[in-house]
């Protein structure tokens, strides 16, 4: 299936999509052996099948190449070498477990492991399993301005004209009460995914970031850019010195262990196994249920290091 055949089947397709499909189908034709990782079977066939559906086609369009060219363009202007390094190390077929989730489809669509910049970039995409019945939005798009205080607390904020007793949702159509921003008859689902973990420890460093947005087709995209300070030559010694100075900061013990684990993997291993926990919460006006009653899930994936 060449690009002209893809165009006939799906309409005009970007060149990056055509290249990706050609490469994937060629691998299937050659019947390459699928590698297995220690704790799971890689679901390559499931990912290929997903590429042929309309939702996954949109995910390909709005991958990291689209993201850095359309949503976050600062690197091209201010750090072009870093942007090029991220693109050079792009991994578009990511071995992963299939999350058996009743409400959403979710997958890691692309990864970029950039050791020379000490950066890991991960693109996560999710969509409502039944888009005719539900809308999916990032949790942080709910009350994005921080003005919600709850109906019972409005009297305490009488002097604050922006304080609200009802939840507002940020969407492409604007910012307003949930009932006005969600299509009539649809359930609002809120997705919260804010960290990447290595052996149960969150990978996070100075200037790490998470960005989440809703595409035109309703797919929620989350882009993690993790700055791996752990890979600095003097990181462990710095953490040890700070721990001696402030022994109550026991979190530095986790930092030291994470640095040792990551350094060993980079030096000796060909791949790294990571997880992204997430929570899906059906919208409710019961704040206790809204903030603590979500259903938790997890997606595990593999990053090639060599």
């Amino acid at each position: 299936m060449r690009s002209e055949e893809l165009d006939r089947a799906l309409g005009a397709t970007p060149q990056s999509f055509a290249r990706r499909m050609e490469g994937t189908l060629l691998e299937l034709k050659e019947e390459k052996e699928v590698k297995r990782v220690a704790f799971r079977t890689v679901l390559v066939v499931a990912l290929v099948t997903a590429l042929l559906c309309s939702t996954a086609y949109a995910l390909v369009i709005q991958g990291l190449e689209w993201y850095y060219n359309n949503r976050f363009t600062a690197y091209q202007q201010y750090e072009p070498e870093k942007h090029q390094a991220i693109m050079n190390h792009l991994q578009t077929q990511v071995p992963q477990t299939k999350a058996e989730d009743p409400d959403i489809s979710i997958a890691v669509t692309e990864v970029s492991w950039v050791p020379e910049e000490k950066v890991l970039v991960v693109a996560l995409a999710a969509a409502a399993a039944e888009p005719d019945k539900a809308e999916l939005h990032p949790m942080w798009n709910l009350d994005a301005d921080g003005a919600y205080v709850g109906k019972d607390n409005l009297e305490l904020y009488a002097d604050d004209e922006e304080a609200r007793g009802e939840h507002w949702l940020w969407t492409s159509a604007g910012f307003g009460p949930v009932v006005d921003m969600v299509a009539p008859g649809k359930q609002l689902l809120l997705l919260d995914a804010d960290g990447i973990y290595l052996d149960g420890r969150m990978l996070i460093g100075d200037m790490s970031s998470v960005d989440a947005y809703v595409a035109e087709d309703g797919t929620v995209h989350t882009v993690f850019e993790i700055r791996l300070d752990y890979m600095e030559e003097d990181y462990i010694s710095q953490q040890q010195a700070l721990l001696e100075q402030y022994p109550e900061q026991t979190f530095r013990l986790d930092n030291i262990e994470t640095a040792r684990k990551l350094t060993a993997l980079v030096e000796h291993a060909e791949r790294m196994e990571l997880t992204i926990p997430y929570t899906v919460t059906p919208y409710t006006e019961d704040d206790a249920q809204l903030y603590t009653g979500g259903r938790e899930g997890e997606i595990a994936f593999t990053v090639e290091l060599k």
Side-chain angles (χ1 to χ4, degrees), residues 289-306:
Q289 183 69 17
L290 179 65
Y291 296 130
T292 64
R295 181 179 42 73
E296 296 180 350
E298 183 178 86
I299 186 166
F301 63 103
T302 299
V303 177
E304 297 295 330
L305 302 177
K306 304 301 183 183

Side-chain angles (χ1 to χ4, degrees), residues 38-59:
F39 70 101
R40 67 189 183 280
T41 301
V42 177
L43 299 177
V44 173
V45 175
L47 295 177
V48 173
T49 302
L51 281 173
L52 298 177
C53 73
S54 59
T55 299
Y57 172 57
L59 301 187

Side-chain angles (χ1 to χ4, degrees), residues 21-246:
M21 285 297 297
E22 288 180 23
T24 300
L25 294 172
L26 180 60
E27 288 190 6
L28 287 180
K29 183 177 179 181
E30 294 176 351
E31 297 182 349
K32 289 187 176 179
E33 180 181 359
V34 177
K35 294 183 179 179
R36 294 176 180 270
V37 294
F39 70 101
R40 67 189 183 280
T41 301
V42 177
L43 299 177
V44 173
V45 175
L47 295 177
V48 173
T49 302
L51 281 173
L52 298 177
C53 73
S54 59
T55 299
Y57 172 57
L59 301 187
V60 173
I61 292 175
Q62 294 202 356
L64 288 176
E65 182 177 359
W66 180 94
Y67 178 79
Y68 286 113
N69 285 331
N70 294 272
R71 184 170 173 87
F72 184 75
T73 59
Y75 284 160
Q76 289 93 318
Q77 182 175 358
Y78 300 107
E79 297 183 72
E81 292 182 359
K82 181 176 181 179
H83 171 257
Q84 190 58 52
I86 293 173
M87 293 297 100
N88 289 345
H89 290 285
L90 205 59
Q91 300 175 32
T92 58
Q93 295 187 25
V94 185
Q96 61 195 280
T97 56
K98 181 181 179 182
E100 299 294 343
D101 195 294
D103 296 317
I104 64 172
S105 300
I106 187 167
V108 174
T109 55
E110 291 178 320
V111 167
S112 185
W113 167 252
V114 194
E116 64 268 32
E117 295 285 347
K118 299 178 177 61
V119 167
L120 170 67
V121 181
V122 177
L124 180 73
E130 298 181 285
D132 57 329
K133 298 180 180 179
E135 285 188 24
L136 184 66
H137 290 266
M139 173 62 86
W140 61 14
N141 281 12
L142 185 71
D143 302 316
D145 63 347
Y148 175 76
V149 299
K151 294 179 181 179
D152 296 338
N153 296 320
L154 277 176
E155 292 184 2
L156 301 176
Y157 294 86
D159 295 334
D160 184 354
E161 60 183 21
E162 294 184 357
R164 293 194 313 271
E166 61 180 341
H167 292 289
W168 281 25
L169 181 69
W170 177 265
T171 73
S172 59
F175 187 50
V178 170
V179 66
D180 296 332
M181 306 312 293
V182 177
K186 287 192 177 183
Q187 169 71 62
L188 170 61
L189 298 176
L190 298 165
L191 175 66
D192 189 16
D194 60 3
I196 297 177
Y197 289 76
L198 171 64
D199 287 347
R201 296 183 175 89
M202 181 185 283
L203 292 176
I204 192 73
D206 291 343
M207 302 302 292
S208 291
S209 65
V210 182
D211 186 15
Y213 63 97
V214 184
E216 291 182 2
D217 68 340
T219 304
V220 173
H221 295 263
T222 306
V223 177
F224 302 86
E225 184 175 314
I226 308 301
R227 304 294 294 270
L228 300 172
D229 303 331
Y230 313 98
M231 295 174 62
E232 299 288 349
E233 292 183 3
D234 58 350
Y235 180 82
I236 291 177
S237 60
Q238 287 181 353
Q239 293 296 304
Q240 289 173 332
L242 288 169
L243 185 59
E244 291 179 4
Q245 186 176 0
Y246 306 103

